[in-house]
Amino acid sequence: RVKGKWAATHPKQPPTRMALQHFDATYSAQLGALWPSIRVALLSERKYGALLNHFSHNLDVEELQAQGCKDFISNGEAFMFPASADHRSEFRPEEDSSSVSTVTHGGGSRQPSLRLSPNIRCLVFPRGDITRFRPARPDKFGLLSYYLLDAASILPCLALDVQESHTVLDLCAAPGGKALALLQTQSVRFLCANDLSVSRTSRLKRVLQSYVPKALLTDDKLRITSFDGTIWGEIERNSFDRVLVDVPCTTDRHSLMEDDNNIFSRSRVGERRCLPQLQAELLLAGILAACPGGDVLYSTCTLSANQNQAVVQQAVQLAEEQHGIQLQVISLCPLAQMFSNTFHFAPNLHLGEMVIPHLAANFGPIYLCKLRRLT
Ligand code: SAM
């Protein structure tokens, strides 16, 4: 029999172990037979991609290519359009993917094509190759040649489909990997990069200064703010052509690997339980900030359906009930097909797409869902 006093002094479980127990309980139910393989990948070393910095004078591409790296974006296009002369072809999302104000797929209106920016390039080592990238080097102006990130986190930026002269809001922007990818398109007329955390916003500024020439970081092109994104609707409504809502989440990989700053620590239980509510508020604020006709991209780095599909469903419902805003879910199925050689996607997701970690392609998890404001 365990005595109370002894039990009270028994060492506490570290947050990484708490996270694993939580994921085993919830993801085995949610993901079924997929979970054991995803679990092994999540507990193994992750794979990075090198987002090339077009503003740098030494891209180091040849050296990386000599090591076997390839740009997964143009490779995906070559796979989809082998006979196309212009490999940055337009492709049309499937026709049966529209839905107005509900988040089930159905209907039949034709959706405009998604054009991938020719300027976003991300190099990865081949499947099964876990070679690490060496740190990027600065050019003669001090601009670094590439930014290392989970290659799957480029997908939300591609899916956002930024076009010439667009205004873009990145509601939760720090440390800035996706903001940097969006700037690589060289199509953004004005970027507003926001993050609640002042210290993380400072990091975002440092990242942009290390990669982007000063001339492109002027006040007429870039605004960096530290507001609570949930109240953005009170600041600016119906304004942006594109809005990225890359929310705080349980960051599944980090939670399994690092005890520091872990959302599964006892002191953060309340914060963790409130995440879906916060995420829905942020997505709703992003929807309000977009202009009618504009697109909103919701993304996370968790496998949790409660933080992914359920949040999108809740925000779409609130947008209609509280603000009379009708939304259309844009299918990202063609994007998933295009990049299925590089990433593993969860099968049969009823809403959005999700990259699931796999030992041979250990990227993700990344969930993404695209919404278009119809009104
Ligand atoms: N998009 C970033 C990137 O690509 O580097 C990563 C964003 S990270 C997943 C989520 C961010 O949301 C964190 O930097 C966190 O500080 C920020 N955040 C948390 N609560 C917020 C809020 N209420 N409003 C705005 N940002 C918030």
Side-chain angles (χ1 to χ4, degrees), residues 30-233:
Q30 182 193 313
L31 299 162
L34 293 174
W35 173 236
S37 313
I38 297 176
R39 185 185 197 271
V40 171
L42 273 176
L43 291 167
S44 307
E45 187 169 320
R46 75 183 320 168
K47 231 176 132 161
Y48 283 91
L51 170 68
L52 294 184
N53 181 21
H54 287 282
F55 305 118
S56 170
H57 283 72
N58 58 350
L59 283 180
D60 291 340
V61 182
E62 274 142 37
E63 192 183 320
L64 291 172
Q65 282 173 339
Q67 288 182 278
C69 280
K70 290 206 166 87
D71 172 23
F72 83 81
I73 303 167
S74 49
N75 258 20
E77 288 168 314
F79 171 70
M80 284 288 280
F81 307 105
S84 168
D86 172 11
H87 73 272
R88 290 278 167 163
S89 322
E90 296 186 359
F91 73 90
R92 287 190 179 279
E94 286 175 341
E95 284 186 42
D96 65 347
S97 58
S98 69
S99 115
V100 179
S101 73
T102 67
V103 285
T104 51
H105 287 228
S109 72
R110 193 155 186 91
Q111 296 182 355
S113 54
L114 175 68
R115 291 140 290 186
L116 299 185
S117 165
N119 298 324
I120 304 185
R121 291 169 71 198
C122 183
L123 269 52
V124 292
F125 285 97
R127 280 177 71 83
D129 182 339
I130 56 163
T131 307
R132 291 180 186 170
F133 290 95
R134 61 160 182 71
R137 284 185 298 224
D139 69 3
K140 60 183 172 182
F141 303 105
L143 297 178
L144 293 168
S145 50
Y146 52 78
Y147 182 89
L148 295 180
L149 76 187
D150 186 327
S153 63
I154 294 293
L155 296 179
C157 305
L158 291 172
L160 196 58
D161 189 21
V162 174
Q163 297 298 314
E164 205 58 45
S165 299
H166 271 169
T167 54
V168 181
L169 168 64
D170 187 352
L171 196 60
C172 307
K178 296 188 189 70
L180 182 61
L182 293 171
L183 289 175
Q184 293 299 316
T185 64
Q186 295 175 46
S187 297
V188 179
R189 174 162 56 87
F190 182 76
L191 173 68
C192 182
N194 176 71
D195 199 283
L196 173 68
S197 158
V198 174
S199 61
R200 285 172 68 89
T201 308
S202 303
R203 200 168 142 206
L204 163 77
K205 279 182 195 155
R206 286 198 299 277
V207 167
L208 295 184
Q209 282 160 1
S210 308
Y211 286 86
V212 183
K214 279 198 182 78
L216 301 180
L217 300 177
T218 49
D219 293 349
D220 58 326
K221 297 188 175 69
L222 175 74
R223 187 168 82 212
I224 297 180
T225 53
S226 289
F227 294 121
D228 176 355
T230 60
I231 57 154
W232 200 274

Side-chain angles (χ1 to χ4, degrees), residues 259-272:
D259 282 320
D260 264 7
N261 191 29
N262 191 312
I263 190 121
F264 284 86
S265 64
R266 277 164 203 277
S267 60
R268 298 183 70 186
V269 170
E271 185 188 341
R272 177 161 60 83

Side-chain angles (χ1 to χ4, degrees), residues 275-294:
L275 273 176
Q277 184 57 33
L278 171 64
Q279 292 159 341
E281 286 176 27
L282 285 166
L283 179 52
L284 181 61
I287 291 168
L288 295 175
C291 58

